[in-house]
Amino acid sequence: MADDIVKIKTIGVLTSGGDSPGMNAAIRAVARAAFHSNINVIGIKHGYYGLINDEFEKLDTHSVSNIIQRGGTTLKSARSEEFRTEEGRAKAAENLKKYEIDALVTIGGDGTFTGANKLSKEHGINVVGVPATIDNDIIGTDETIGYDTALNTALDAIDKIRDTADAHERMFLVEVMGRDTGFIALETGIASGAELALLPEELTHVDEVKEQLHDMLKQQRRSSLVVVAEGDETGGAMKLADNIKDDFSQYDVRVCILGHVQRGGAPTARDRVLASRLGAAAVNVLMEGHSEVMVGVVNNALKITPLRVAISKKKALDHTLIDLARVLR
Ligand code: F6P
């Protein structure tokens, strides 16, 4: 870490990968914190695709007005195959030099950070990552931007499904997002009082699932709700339903896949505050001379993690929560 304040004239900012609620609040915070220190900000549209294809636009304080409460991302997001190649990253670096951008703030998840790290290593571009993904799978921060909103969106839907499941005495398998990690499934499972939460991190045997459900149904339960992470090894809610429905025909097994509903909507207060803190912190750490780092909040304090560490592995689930879910079901 450098002790002196580094002179930065222009910062670029982009959002990349799957969008998450709170990305706009993060863009706003980057811009406003930069303006506060007399730094220019250039927004890059469509993530790395726009970085390669010259989709640059200067932001001013009005460009980020009235966006803190909006889901999606005003800078748009995309996945760029070309940026995965050295040639693609070379084009991106040329554009950054053309616009005299001294440093880049990349808002997204591990794929976004992997690209930023390569861009920095190959072309000496100063980069800082702001973790934003509903999956909450990034180490170096207790929560990622968008996770809290997605959790509450999914929970609201699951509570509604419980009402109708109860009225009809049915079994519902509800699929939530989480291709590789089960944060949403585990926490919505606990918060909704689900009978089971099936997670990619835990081995799931269909026979055990059937046995556990049979045991619970023997205890006079009239409806049951199973939260299934999309990446669970059972193959998701639809496949699981096919595999268990004959054993539970008296409960009329139904499936609900929540899907992209979980990615949209107005960010919660917690996500807006987190995004505001992390967006401003990104600008500050660049001014302090850091690069190839991610900003996060751990135990309510800002924390800097090298990008190579942030992308080295997925964040693990809290095993005490997995145990708690088992005790309380
Ligand atoms: O944003 C993360 C995530 O929602 C994963 O949980 C999911 O598998 C994936 O994105 C889907 O992304 P897309 O709809 O962009 O293919």
Side-chain angles (χ1 to χ4, degrees):
M1 170 178 164
D3 291 331
D4 301 328
I5 294 287
V6 173
K7 190 65 209 143
I8 290 181
K9 284 205 199 111
T10 306
I11 283 179
V13 58
L14 59 79
T15 50
S16 169
D19 64 322
S20 70
M23 278 184 160
N24 282 324
I27 295 166
R28 172 183 179 272
V30 169
R32 294 266 165 99
F35 300 149
H36 185 73
S37 295
N38 295 317
I39 295 172
N40 298 317
V41 181
I42 295 190
I44 297 137
K45 291 244 166 159
H46 299 111
Y48 293 131
Y49 176 88
L51 197 54
I52 294 172
N53 293 289
D54 211 338
E55 295 190 35
F56 290 54
E57 66 176 37
K58 195 162 190 286
L59 302 185
D60 58 31
T61 193
H62 297 299
S63 358
V64 293
S65 290
N66 201 19
I67 65 169
I68 193 169
Q69 76 280 24
R70 286 167 55 193
T73 157
T74 49
L75 289 178
K76 313 292 177 193
S77 193
R79 302 189 199 271
S80 166
E81 279 309 313
E82 200 181 352
F83 194 74
R84 292 177 194 268
T85 66
E86 276 183 30
E87 297 73 28
R89 292 191 292 274
K91 277 195 217 165
E94 256 173 52
N95 278 335
L96 287 167
K97 281 173 194 150
K98 184 166 92 188
Y99 287 88
E100 298 183 342
I101 293 175
D102 307 304
L104 184 65
V105 177
T106 60
I107 304 169
D110 57 347
T112 304
F113 296 165
T114 302
N117 206 35
K118 285 191 176 151
L119 185 68
S120 174
K121 293 236 175 298
E122 291 165 4
H123 300 283
I125 311 283
N126 293 321
V127 293
V128 58
V130 173
T133 161
I134 65 161
D135 290 338
N136 194 35
D137 55 356
I138 310 285
I139 53 175
T141 191
D142 287 342
E143 284 191 7
T144 53
I145 297 165
Y147 173 60
D148 186 59
T149 307
L151 205 54
N152 283 291
T153 302
L155 184 62
D156 179 56
I158 294 170
D159 285 347
K160 287 172 176 150
I161 292 167
R162 175 69 90 175
D163 288 346
T164 177
D166 187 56
H168 287 268
E169 300 187 345
R170 280 175 169 158
M171 178 184 293
F172 265 86
L173 308 184
V174 184
E175 185 175 299
V176 296
M177 274 191 165
R179 194 165 26 197
D180 305 309
T181 44
F183 284 92
I184 298 179
L186 177 58
E187 293 212 47
T188 54
I190 293 172
S192 65
E195 272 62 32
L196 285 177
L198 305 182
L199 318 167
E201 290 87 344
E202 300 266 285
L203 275 182
T204 311
H205 298 292
V206 174
D207 287 341
E208 273 173 43
V209 172
K210 285 187 202 170
E211 209 175 296
Q212 287 166 349
L213 286 170
H214 275 304
D215 285 350
M216 285 185 264
L217 290 166
K218 273 188 218 143
Q219 306 158 6
Q220 308 287 312
R221 295 190 196 207
R222 290 278 162 244
S223 68
S224 49
L225 213 148
V226 180
V227 179
V228 187
E230 65 174 323
D232 182 66
E233 61 176 345
T234 50
M238 203 64 102
K239 196 155 172 220
L240 181 63
D242 282 344
N243 286 329
I244 69 168
K245 63 176 189 281
D246 291 344
D247 293 61
F248 297 95
S249 47
Q250 73 277 33
Y251 290 102
D252 196 5
V253 177
R254 296 296 171 106
V255 170
C256 181
I257 297 177
L258 298 185
H260 289 79
V261 159
Q262 295 159 96
R263 287 241 294 255
T268 59
R270 205 156 111 192
D271 270 331
R272 295 182 205 191
V273 173
L274 178 65
S276 300
R277 285 178 86 177
L278 295 184
V283 174
N284 291 337
V285 302
L286 282 169
M287 288 195 300
E288 286 166 5
H290 293 279
S291 180
E292 292 182 18
V293 294
M294 182 200 94
V295 287
V297 170
V298 174
N299 294 332
N300 203 27
L302 284 165
K303 183 176 176 199
I304 298 172
T305 302
L307 282 181
R308 76 181 149 71
V309 175
I311 59 182
S312 62
K313 56 178 186 218
K314 297 266 178 205
K315 184 160 70 185
L317 290 176
D318 179 345
H319 271 265
T320 63
L321 286 186
I322 298 180
D323 293 342
L324 179 69
R326 288 201 183 109
V327 171
L328 300 183
R329 71 191 177 205

